[in-house]
Amino acid sequence: MEQRRLAAILFSDISGYTAQMGEDENKALHLLEKNRKLHRALVKLFHGTIIDEIGDGTFACFNSALDAVYCAVELTRTCVRENFPGLHIGIHLAEVIFSGHKVFGDGVNLASRIQTSAGRGEILISEDVYRNIRNHEGISAEFLGEKNFKNIKEPVGIYKLTVADSLIIAKGIDEQLAEVFETSSGNISISAKKLALYITAAILLVSGMIFMALKINYRRPPQLVEKSIAVLPFKNYSPGSGEDYFSDGMTEEVINYLSKIRDLKVISRTSVEQYKDSPEDIKTIARELGVSNILEGSVRKDSNKIRVTVQLIQAQSGFHLWSDEYDRNLSGIFEVQTDIAKEVAGVLAAVLSEKEKMLIQKRTTVSLTAYDFYMKAKDEFMHYRMGEGNVYLDRAVSLYLKALALDPRFAPAYAGLGWTYYRKTGLNEYFSENYLDSVKIMGEKALGFDDNCEEAHALLGHYYYELGDPDRAFAEIEKAIDINPNYIEALWLKADMLFYNKGDYVDGINFSLKTMELYHGPDYGDLLAFIGGAYMQIGLTDRAENYFRQAVSLSGDSSGFYNIRYLKARSERNYDEALIYANKICVGDSLSYYCTDQLAWCLTLQKRYRDALNIWKRNDNQELTLNNGHRIGYLYMLLGDEKKANEYFIRQIRYCEESIRLNRSYSQSFRAHYDLAAIYSYLNDKEKAYLYLEEVSENILPPFWMIILMKDDPLFDSIRGEETFRAYLKEMEEKFNAERNRVLLLVPEPERPAS
């Protein structure tokens, strides 16, 4: 029968117990037994009831807040006296539901959360408890501020309890505890000895069961452990304002350390940022992120002192696999990050190579002030990544420069500065001879000081990719992934290069899917569309639709989905249906590139030349028509304006040739070569047309859109009937079909989203 009543709820656990298990399991087991005996004796003495014993933790209820506090004080005093490890204790007073031997309610959850915030040997109490005990002599408390706890709607006032050493709570406690921990001497009868043997055997049996349970909870074999984890944004419990950047920086660094462990699947920082101060429960967050374990924590920075409290939770069961707190000087921040990564890896039974151990123990700077500027810069950059505006890039640049002024050998700061420069580079620098030079300089500077800086390798990978050197780009990306197997920016670019530079859609899709497992951030819809686009490129339109549907549900942008339908209709030469989807692409943004290009081209294929030209003319600016000048020139020619037509043809030839000379991205996909072949075919320069067609045929796996376009592109009408042209088309189709069939054979069809 359920009964609702007011109760003081106490949670406690042993500080550093997981480490004890790792060092000496028998000693840890003996410690656990003593701890449980101590709790049972003192909880009973102060009129309380033990509700549950979970691992090294204890959950007890008392009739009054004072009884719970007195019990906590004596627990702490005994640990000091007996040289036991300290306890983390949290107490809250609330109305809860008693049902048989179980207790439920928000108050239970809050007491548990308070306990996880307590340091070694600390007793933290809620404001409700404080109001009930504040007038008792010998008891005082320090107000730590109002704190927000997960799944608790309102902030809660938290106090750290202190009790005068002279305060006598109850007489005879030492004697009672002596009976608990000491064995009495004297003559024992034969039957008593037998009874003792039976009891000893029973204790050994129970101890063995506890030992096995602990091995399951703390040292479980790998087949029982899903080695996937998300690190939620650490709570900021620092006094004063403006310290969020520090707790966020700790979150990112712990993620970065864990990400270097190949045996772990670690969700990216941008993916977990959305859960900062989220009301979602841990089980829901884990399900949304696709992980089995959640690491959450808090950071308190006060002058040159830091306290970091962390707990690792198995999401489905809610079981606390491990928790600890770290009280250090600020100079010990790097060791804290390393220790957390090692502990988590140990609990999840992840294997660490010698190289990984070295990487997660590396100190990146000798200047704590430089590191502070660096963390602030990363925080500004994260605001930009979360879509809050370009102004954060400028702030990040300023802070990175301050960090480097203090420590000119700070490799990650050079890499971070390079990434901000990469994001700031605009279209106006596209044809500049020193395009992205600042990015290259920063990347090489970083690697000059630390060749294991994965951010710098990935940065240079993007640089070489943009500058048209795919082999060097691929090599840098591989180095980044070798250092950090969970690094999203590197994995995503590798997938892109496998598609569009290597023509390997099997490995490309597999890398994309791995990236999708690790990333659930603000660009997740773009990632889904990216995978859909890859399937579209290889002509598997049904699979492409699956991903574009999911992308639409996140972003609301349906243009990619309608583009699939448009291409399918085009491939069947059903231009009326294609026009319907081209118009759907334009809904909401009639001036977009997709709209202008697809709608104008569809009207051209329907021989509605004036209408097609009007579509281009309404959007005739360099940015949107840069890749389509020859299409506009073709329309002017058909409508009798030869002078205007030649202006567009000449402009497009120059653009394509300059892209090829500088090896820009427009030429890397051989789109520039294709367009030059089409232009020279229309201008009846067959030799140049075939020269560029040969480049296309020999160097790339032609995408679906190119095969479709080549079959009905009117600019090739002058050579379409020639054997040479047909041979190139056949060769391209054969390469395309071979890779398409390989994907069908080796990549399982994705599950369709629920309708």
Side-chain angles (χ1 to χ4, degrees):
M1 180 179 176
E2 290 187 355
Q3 185 181 29
R4 186 183 295 272
R5 69 172 187 265
L6 190 69
I9 305 123
L10 180 149
F11 275 87
S12 74
D13 69 10
I14 305 172
S15 181
Y17 186 74
T18 304
Q20 285 266 4
M21 283 294 294
E23 293 170 6
D24 187 333
E25 290 177 338
N26 288 328
K27 183 178 178 182
L29 185 61
H30 184 62
L31 169 66
L32 179 66
E33 281 298 296
K34 281 193 172 184
N35 178 70
R36 288 186 171 175
K37 287 180 179 179
L38 172 64
H39 276 77
R40 290 166 188 166
L42 288 176
V43 169
K44 181 179 180 181
L45 180 65
F46 289 100
H47 316 294
T49 303
I50 290 181
I51 305 300
D52 205 353
E53 295 171 327
I54 307 170
D56 64 313
T58 302
F59 166 25
C61 282
F62 297 82
N63 292 327
S64 76
L66 190 61
D67 281 339
V69 165
Y70 281 162
C71 180
V73 170
E74 290 300 339
L75 284 168
T76 304
R77 284 176 170 178
T78 305
C79 287
V80 173
R81 187 173 61 251
E82 298 290 335
N83 198 28
F84 286 178
L87 299 174
H88 311 262
I89 300 178
I91 307 173
H92 178 50
L93 182 68
E95 189 177 81
V96 292
I97 299 171
F98 288 79
S99 179
H101 298 291
K102 296 182 179 180
V103 180
F104 305 97
D106 291 341
V108 175
N109 296 330
L110 178 53
S112 175
R113 298 290 186 192
I114 294 171
Q115 177 262 312
T116 59
S117 297
R120 187 191 306 268
E122 283 186 352
I123 303 169
L124 295 189
I125 61 175
S126 68
E127 192 157 6
D128 293 309
V129 175
Y130 175 70
R131 283 197 297 266
N132 279 267
I133 57 93
R134 61 187 173 186
N135 295 322
H136 287 269
E137 187 176 350
I139 299 177
S140 59
E142 174 192 356
F143 182 56
L144 300 182
E146 289 194 334
K147 302 188 184 303
N148 291 299
F149 293 99
K150 193 173 295 297
N151 299 328
I152 306 299
K153 294 180 180 179
E154 300 295 331
V156 180
I158 300 297
Y159 294 77
K160 183 170 74 172
L161 195 71
T162 55
V163 177
D165 292 338
S166 59
L167 177 65
I168 298 175
I169 293 175
K171 294 181 179 180
I173 287 182
D174 291 351
E175 290 78 4
Q176 293 185 54
L177 293 180
E179 293 179 6
V180 171
F181 292 110
E182 295 175 9
T183 304
S184 58
S185 58
N187 296 325
I188 304 176
S189 65
I190 299 296
S191 58
K193 287 181 179 179
K194 286 183 180 180
L195 179 60
L197 287 173
Y198 295 151
I199 293 173
T200 301
I203 290 172
L204 288 173
L205 177 62
V206 172
S207 297
M209 293 171 67
I210 293 171
F211 171 76
M212 290 304 294
L214 287 170
K215 282 185 71 83
I216 290 174
N217 290 333
Y218 293 97
R219 292 277 180 173
R220 292 166 296 165
Q223 65 267 24
L224 297 181
V225 179
E226 172 64 39
K227 301 177 189 179
S228 57
I229 184 170
V231 182
L232 298 186
F234 285 4
K235 298 287 187 183
N236 172 33
Y237 288 162
S238 304
S241 59
E243 297 289 345
D244 269 6
Y245 79 91
F246 191 84
S247 56
D248 290 342
M250 277 293 296
T251 305
E252 182 159 357
E253 292 297 279
V254 169
I255 291 172
N256 188 38
Y257 278 40
L258 289 171
S259 294
K260 290 180 169 66
I261 302 172
R262 190 171 299 276
D263 206 24
L264 291 178
K265 168 187 164 185
V266 184
I267 300 300
S268 69
R269 163 79 194 282
T270 46
S271 301
V272 300
E273 186 65 16
Q274 61 188 307
Y275 296 104
K276 187 173 183 178
D277 301 321
S278 170
E280 296 287 355
D281 61 88
I282 282 176
K283 187 180 292 188
T284 300
I285 293 172
R287 184 178 67 252
E288 291 176 355
L289 293 176
V291 296
S292 293
N293 306 288
I294 295 289
L295 183 73
E296 60 179 8
S298 63
V299 179
R300 179 181 173 86
K301 175 174 172 277
D302 193 357
S303 186
N304 68 334
K305 300 284 188 181
I306 57 168
R307 171 181 296 155
V308 182
T309 303
V310 287
Q311 58 179 346
L312 181 64
I313 303 167
Q314 192 177 60
Q316 278 301 110
S317 66
F319 187 79
H320 287 58
L321 299 172
W322 164 75
S323 65
D324 211 340
E325 98 289 334
Y326 302 85
D327 285 303
R328 305 282 172 87
N329 289 328
L330 192 57
S331 58
I333 186 172
F334 302 105
E335 288 77 13
V336 171
Q337 294 160 1
T338 297
D339 289 349
I340 292 172
K342 284 182 175 180
E343 288 284 1
V344 170
V347 173
L348 297 184
V351 178
L352 269 73
S353 68
E354 289 304 314
K355 181 180 180 180
E356 289 166 352
K357 290 177 184 177
M358 180 271 292
L359 289 173
I360 65 176
Q361 289 174 175
K362 179 177 63 179
R363 182 164 182 163
T364 54
T365 180
V366 295
S367 170
L368 288 176
T369 307
Y371 188 68
D372 198 63
F373 280 127
Y374 170 75
M375 293 177 83
K376 287 177 179 176
K378 293 197 69 121
D379 187 60
E380 297 292 343
F381 190 75
M382 180 56 62
H383 283 291
Y384 163 78
R385 288 287 287 114
M386 298 304 290
E388 296 178 34
N390 290 340
V391 65
Y392 291 100
L393 284 177
D394 296 323
R395 295 178 187 172
V397 168
S398 175
L399 290 163
Y400 278 128
L401 290 172
K402 288 180 180 179
L404 290 167
L406 291 165
D407 183 359
R409 302 176 62 85
F410 195 173
Y414 282 113
L417 184 58
W419 278 108
T420 60
Y421 287 152
Y422 179 79
R423 296 282 183 172
K424 282 169 68 69
T425 301
L427 284 171
N428 59 323
E429 297 181 28
Y430 190 71
F431 284 131
S432 168
E433 292 287 349
N434 59 357
Y435 178 57
L436 295 180
D437 275 3
S438 59
V439 171
K440 182 185 181 188
I441 291 168
M442 292 303 108
E444 290 179 343
K445 273 268 194 183
L447 294 178
F449 295 116
D450 180 7
D451 191 52
N452 285 313
C453 181
E454 72 270 28
E455 300 103 316
H457 283 297
L459 178 66
L460 288 178
H462 280 75
Y463 166 78
Y464 288 121
Y465 179 71
E466 291 291 341
L467 269 291
D469 192 343
D471 291 337
R472 292 183 74 178
F474 205 80
E476 293 291 347
I477 289 299
E478 289 282 65
K479 289 177 184 177
I481 294 172
D482 182 58
I483 297 165
N484 186 336
N486 293 279
Y487 191 18
I488 293 300
E489 282 77 5
L491 292 170
W492 198 331
L493 181 57
K494 181 174 181 178
D496 188 286
M497 294 187 70
L498 284 167
F499 292 139
Y500 304 118
N501 294 95
K502 306 286 186 182
D504 186 344
Y505 281 78
V506 172
D507 281 352
I509 290 170
N510 286 332
F511 258 92
S512 298
L513 295 175
K514 181 178 180 181
T515 307
M516 190 170 71
E517 287 181 1
L518 300 174
Y519 184 77
H520 297 264
D523 300 326
Y524 188 64
D526 292 344
L527 180 56
L528 290 168
F530 172 73
I531 300 173
Y535 275 120
M536 181 175 70
Q537 293 283 81
I538 203 64
L540 297 175
T541 54
D542 288 343
R543 295 190 182 188
E545 280 193 15
N546 180 24
Y547 282 98
F548 275 113
R549 283 182 187 276
Q550 295 177 69
V552 170
S553 69
L554 290 175
S555 66
D557 180 6
S558 57
S559 59
F561 173 75
Y562 290 132
N563 193 43
I564 292 285
R565 294 292 181 88
Y566 169 84
L567 282 175
K568 285 176 71 174
R570 276 268 310 277
S571 69
E572 297 162 359
R573 291 189 168 85
N574 186 344
Y575 301 134
D576 290 337
E577 185 174 336
L579 183 61
I580 291 172
Y581 286 112
N583 276 299
K584 286 180 179 291
I585 291 170
C586 295
V587 172
D589 192 359
S590 62
L591 298 181
S592 70
Y593 175 81
Y594 262 143
C595 171
T596 303
D597 182 33
Q598 311 295 38
L599 190 57
W601 186 234
C602 196
L603 291 167
T604 300
L605 293 173
Q606 288 186 317
K607 300 183 179 181
R608 295 168 57 182
Y609 305 128
R610 179 65 65 184
D611 291 338
L613 183 59
N614 287 335
I615 293 293
W616 282 117
K617 286 172 70 175
R618 78 182 184 191
N619 223 354
D620 189 10
N621 64 71
Q622 185 176 356
E623 183 178 339
L624 285 175
T625 63
L626 211 53
N627 301 344
N628 292 280
H630 54 311
R631 303 295 173 196
I632 301 171
Y634 172 71
L635 292 170
Y636 274 116
M637 189 69 79
L638 291 174
L639 293 169
D641 193 340
E642 186 173 346
K643 180 182 177 182
K644 196 75 169 175
N646 285 329
E647 287 177 6
Y648 275 96
F649 282 132
I650 291 169
R651 190 183 84 176
Q652 192 64 31
I653 289 171
R654 287 175 179 170
Y655 174 71
C656 291
E657 289 177 343
E658 191 70 0
S659 293
I660 293 170
R661 184 181 75 82
L662 294 172
N663 208 8
R664 295 293 187 256
S665 56
Y666 181 57
S667 71
Q668 292 170 39
S669 64
F670 287 83
R671 171 75 184 270
H673 300 74
Y674 177 94
D675 288 345
L676 285 171
I679 293 168
Y680 284 120
S681 170
Y682 185 73
L683 297 177
N684 212 28
D685 188 340
K686 295 182 181 181
E687 183 179 352
K688 284 187 176 179
Y690 284 133
L691 178 68
Y692 284 112
L693 269 183
E694 184 176 1
E695 289 282 323
V696 175
S697 177
E698 287 183 355
N699 287 286
I700 66 162
L701 176 72
F704 184 47
W705 66 262
M706 189 175 284
I707 297 292
I708 296 171
L709 182 60
M710 197 167 173
K711 287 180 177 181
D712 60 13
D713 192 340
L715 274 70
F716 283 121
D717 283 351
S718 65
I719 61 174
R720 191 176 306 284
E722 295 183 4
E723 185 62 34
T724 304
F725 179 84
R726 291 201 298 269
Y728 281 130
L729 179 58
K730 181 181 178 183
E731 182 182 351
M732 292 167 69
E733 282 192 288
E734 286 175 349
K735 288 170 67 175
F736 171 81
N737 287 328
E739 185 65 16
R740 183 178 184 274
N741 290 334
R742 202 167 74 92
V743 172
L744 286 170
L745 180 66
L746 298 176
V747 180
E749 186 169 357
E751 294 182 8
R752 293 188 175 276
S755 58

